[in-house]
């Protein structure tokens, strides 16, 4: 009983959780975003010349008058990223909350760093499957403090959490998901007869509004013949992620205002914290 009481006391101590988080996650601010997918793109100056957009991986701005480049941006202040590769609002002090907040933060970081790592290992990209994205975009992990019972509305996200440009603030849409998101595995074309992995015959044909799926953000790669392990590992990842992103909301920001647009897939990951995926999509 004395041991249990000692552990209970330790786990109720804010200093313990602060030290634990610092030991297991690098929360230094990442200074180089050049290899961080859409974060790298949106952090650069916007382009107003349609003939040169994308040459230097810049984003294209539709709201600048007469092609003026003065004061065009996506978000300001621009979000930061910890060295553990999790995006968060600029200036966030992760240790400012109480013990419950730090316990939740620890759980969130475990989820998000694993999500980011597995999505990268499995070659998952936005645009691979079930998406109107005309390109392929990396998937970033994102987190922010949130004390409300309901998930954030689009306006709360774009104007209260991440501060998108005023011209962008009114151009958003959202899809709340009250049920668990579907997922599907494509046919194993290299090893159909011997594969132990199930696949969906209609994985390319289902209605994403009637049957929303994780694949719309976490688009599965189509493995080469020497990467057959990706079929089973992708299924395990989807099965792990499915209950975490439930309930969830997809928020699309910036249609007709900038390209590529921002896409959030968010869920309540722990008490006091909302997080999930942040990616992009090119719509023309």
């Amino acid at each position: 009983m004395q041991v249990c009481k000692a552990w209970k006391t330790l786990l109720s101590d804010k200093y313990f959780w602060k030290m634990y988080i610092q030991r297991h996650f690098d929360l230094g601010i990442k200074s180089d975003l050049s290899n961080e997918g859409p974060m790298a793109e949106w952090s650069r100056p916007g382009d107003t010349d349609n003939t040169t957009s994308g040459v230097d991986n810049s984003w294209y701005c539709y709201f600048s008058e007469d092609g003026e480049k003065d004061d065009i941006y996506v978000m300001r202040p621009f979000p930061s990223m910890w060295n553990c590769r999790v995006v968060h609002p600029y200036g966030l002090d992760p240790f400012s909350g109480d013990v419950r907040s730090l316990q939740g933060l620890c759980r969130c970081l475990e989820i998000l760093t694993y999500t980011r790592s597995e999505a990268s290992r499995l070659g998952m990209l936005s645009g691979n499957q079930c998406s109107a994205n005309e390109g392929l975009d990396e998937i970033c992990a994102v987190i922010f403090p949130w004390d409300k019972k309901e998930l954030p509305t689009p306006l709360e996200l774009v104007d209260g959490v991440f501060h998108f440009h005023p011209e962008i603030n009114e151009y958003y849409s959202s899809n709340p998901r009250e049920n668990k998101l579907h997922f599907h595995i494509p046919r194993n074309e290299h090893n159909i007869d011997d594969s132990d992995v199930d696949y969906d015959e209609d994985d390319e044909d289902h209605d994403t509004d009637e049957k929303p799926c994780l694949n719309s953000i976490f688009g599965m790669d189509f493995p080469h013949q020497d990467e057959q392990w990706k079929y089973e590992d992708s299924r395990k990842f989807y099965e792990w992620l499915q209950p975490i992103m439930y309930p969830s909301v997809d928020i699309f920001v910036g249609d007709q205002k900038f390209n590529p647009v921002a896409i959030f897939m968010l869920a309540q990951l722990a008490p006091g914290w909302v997080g999930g995926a942040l990616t992009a999509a090119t719509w023309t």
Side-chain angles (χ1 to χ4, degrees):
M1 294 296 294
Q2 291 298 319
V3 174
C4 293
K5 185 176 181 180
W7 268 107
K8 184 177 181 180
T9 301
L10 183 64
L11 295 176
S12 300
D13 181 60
K14 181 177 177 178
Y15 180 77
F16 167 81
W17 286 103
K18 181 178 179 179
M19 292 299 101
Y20 183 91
I21 291 170
Q22 288 180 327
R23 180 178 178 84
H24 289 84
F25 306 99
D26 186 348
L27 299 191
I29 299 299
K30 199 173 193 301
S31 58
D32 182 8
L33 300 179
S34 60
N35 293 316
E36 298 300 336
M39 288 291 289
E41 201 164 356
W42 297 326
S43 68
R44 299 187 180 103
D47 198 339
T48 58
D49 184 352
N50 201 30
T51 63
T52 61
S53 178
V55 173
D56 59 351
N57 291 322
S58 60
W59 59 279
Y60 184 75
C61 174
Y62 295 113
F63 56 80
S64 177
E65 295 183 3
D66 301 321
E68 293 293 332
K69 293 190 177 183
D70 293 343
D71 205 35
I72 63 171
Y73 59 89
V74 176
M75 291 172 272
R76 182 183 291 170
F78 196 74
S80 300
M81 177 183 283
W82 290 313
N83 285 327
C84 61
R85 303 185 75 194
V86 175
V87 177
H88 58 89
Y90 177 84
L92 175 67
D93 179 359
F95 302 118
S96 62
D98 56 15
V99 172
R100 181 170 175 268
S101 174
L102 266 61
Q103 290 172 336
L105 174 63
C106 184
R107 172 59 177 158
C108 291
L109 291 174
E110 289 173 348
I111 291 170
L112 293 173
T113 53
Y114 180 76
T115 299
R116 178 80 190 248
S117 174
E118 281 297 277
S120 177
R121 183 178 74 90
L122 295 168
M124 292 181 173
L125 296 169
S126 167
N128 269 342
Q129 292 177 290
C130 307
S131 170
N133 188 359
E134 297 174 22
L136 294 173
D137 291 275
E138 290 185 35
I139 305 159
C140 298
V142 64
I143 189 175
F144 52 89
W146 193 255
D147 291 328
K148 295 183 180 180
K149 183 178 179 180
E150 300 80 12
L151 289 169
T153 66
L155 187 57
E156 287 173 324
L157 182 75
V158 302
D159 194 33
V161 177
F162 285 111
H163 307 291
F164 281 78
H165 192 287
E167 290 285 346
I168 298 172
N169 280 356
E170 296 182 4
Y171 288 79
Y172 53 73
S173 61
S174 68
N175 294 314
R177 311 297 192 187
E178 298 297 330
N179 300 312
K180 287 185 179 180
L181 294 170
H182 169 67
F183 70 86
H184 47 86
I185 306 296
R187 177 188 290 270
N188 181 346
E189 296 180 352
H190 297 293
N191 193 25
I192 296 174
D193 295 332
D194 299 329
S195 176
D196 292 329
V197 181
D198 295 331
Y199 60 86
D200 291 341
E201 291 282 2
D202 61 345
D203 66 314
E204 294 297 330
D205 300 325
H206 75 93
D207 188 319
T208 55
D209 290 326
E210 294 183 1
K211 197 175 184 180
C213 63
L214 291 168
N215 305 64
S216 64
I217 300 296
F218 295 89
M220 184 179 165
D221 188 19
F222 289 81
H224 297 295
Q225 192 165 1
D226 59 349
E227 296 178 323
Q228 298 303 291
W229 55 269
K230 284 188 177 181
Y231 287 100
E232 182 60 28
D233 283 17
S234 293
R235 178 176 292 280
K236 290 178 180 177
F237 174 70
Y238 287 136
E239 289 174 344
W240 171 82
L241 185 62
Q242 190 179 48
I244 291 172
M245 302 305 296
Y246 162 67
S248 64
V249 62
D250 293 348
I251 298 178
F252 306 84
V253 184
D255 185 20
Q256 302 180 45
K257 285 298 180 177
F258 73 102
N259 236 339
V261 300
I263 303 177
F264 294 83
M265 177 184 279
L266 302 172
Q268 188 98 40
L269 300 183
W273 297 95
V274 162
L278 168 59
T279 187
T282 299
W283 293 344
T284 58

